[in-house]
């Protein structure tokens, strides 16, 4: 069987395999080339640098998320479905997921799940700031659950205040991402943590109150 020609897709797939096997710290152009059995310089005919490979990994993982969204369903059920779809991919690619959440999203594949989630939350009545905060809280919850469930040791990139970029995106395709670009572009981690903690505590209090009322 002839060897499949080298391509960006093959390079990204090799990087995904390497990350899942050894973690993001293992990624280098030389290691990816060795895994493909090619010279390192040949990679540069398809990707400009290591960052482009990592962006490709994030894009590849997010593009596999399968949503079955019913616009007529209650918003809470739609959010559950979206969270479960992300969790399914995260369980399949646990180490790559850690890479995804630490990189700036700007590709179509990366922004589509964000747009879908924001639109659902906006339909539920959240204002822009509330929708962004709730989205971040769910991502944090899913990733935290993944760490506990799968037991991966993540490699986190240096903390960024800007995690999602709307630069160059089509406003017609991403209306929510475009309109909320400023809010998505900045993140006060302390404020976000306190917001999520408060929401979780309130939810627990509400559930505890309902159980107390049934006694």
């Amino acid at each position: 069987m002839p060897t499949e020609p080298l391509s960006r897709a093959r390079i990204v797939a090799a990087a995904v395999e390497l990350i899942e096997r050894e973690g993001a710290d293992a990624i280098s152009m030389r290691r990816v080339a060795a895994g493909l059995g090619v010279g390192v310089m040949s990679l540069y005919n398809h990707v400009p640098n290591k960052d482009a490979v990592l962006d490709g990994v994030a894009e590849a993982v997010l593009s596999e998320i399968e949503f079955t969204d019913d616009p007529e369903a209650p918003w809470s059920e739609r959010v559950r479905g979206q969270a479960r779809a992300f969790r399914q991919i995260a369980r399949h690619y646990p180490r790559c997921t850690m890479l995804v959440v630490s990189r700036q999203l700007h590709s179509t594949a990366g922004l589509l799940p964000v747009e879908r989630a924001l639109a659902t939350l906006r339909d539920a009545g959240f204002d822009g700031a509330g929708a962004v905060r709730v989205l971040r809280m769910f991502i944090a919850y899913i990733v935290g659950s993944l760490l506990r469930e799968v037991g991966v040791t993540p490699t986190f990139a240096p903390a960024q205040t800007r995690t999602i970029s709307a630069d160059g995106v089509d406003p017609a395709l991403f209306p929510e991402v475009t309109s909320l670009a400023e809010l998505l572009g900045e993140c006060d981690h302390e404020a976000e943590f306190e917001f999520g903690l408060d929401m979780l505590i309130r939810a627990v209090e509400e559930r505890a109150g309902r159980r107390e009322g049934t006694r």
Side-chain angles (χ1 to χ4, degrees), residues 8 13 15 17 43 60 62 73 86 93 129 131 157 164 169 184 206 211:
R8 180 180 182 275
E17 291 180 6
L43 300 185
L62 290 170
F86 181 57
Y93 299 106
I164 296 175
V169 303
L184 288 167
E206 182 180 347
R211 295 183 62 159

Side-chain angles (χ1 to χ4, degrees), residues 179-193:
S179 67
L180 299 175
E182 185 175 350
L183 289 168
L184 288 167
E186 300 298 330
C187 180
D188 182 333
H189 294 290
E190 288 296 325
E192 298 297 331
F193 175 78

Side-chain angles (χ1 to χ4, degrees), residues 66-143:
E66 296 182 2
F67 291 111
T68 54
D69 191 25
D70 178 6
E72 303 301 318
W75 75 267
S76 56
E77 290 305 311
R78 296 175 66 192
V79 168
R80 286 181 195 275
Q82 293 165 13
R84 287 167 179 162
F86 181 57
R87 177 173 177 266
Q88 183 176 11
I89 287 299
R91 293 179 70 193
H92 191 65
Y93 299 106
R95 289 191 169 91
C96 286
T97 297
M98 298 305 160
L99 176 70
V100 168
V101 299
S102 71
R103 294 191 71 77
Q104 183 180 102
L105 303 177
H106 50 74
S107 68
T108 297
L111 289 175
L112 278 174
V114 175
E115 176 67 25
R116 186 186 294 264
L118 289 173
T120 300
L121 293 168
R122 295 281 273 166
D123 287 346
F126 288 95
D127 63 12
V132 169
R133 278 186 154 179
V134 170
L135 171 61
R136 285 172 173 159
M137 186 187 70
F138 275 109
I139 291 173
Y141 175 72
I142 293 167
V143 171

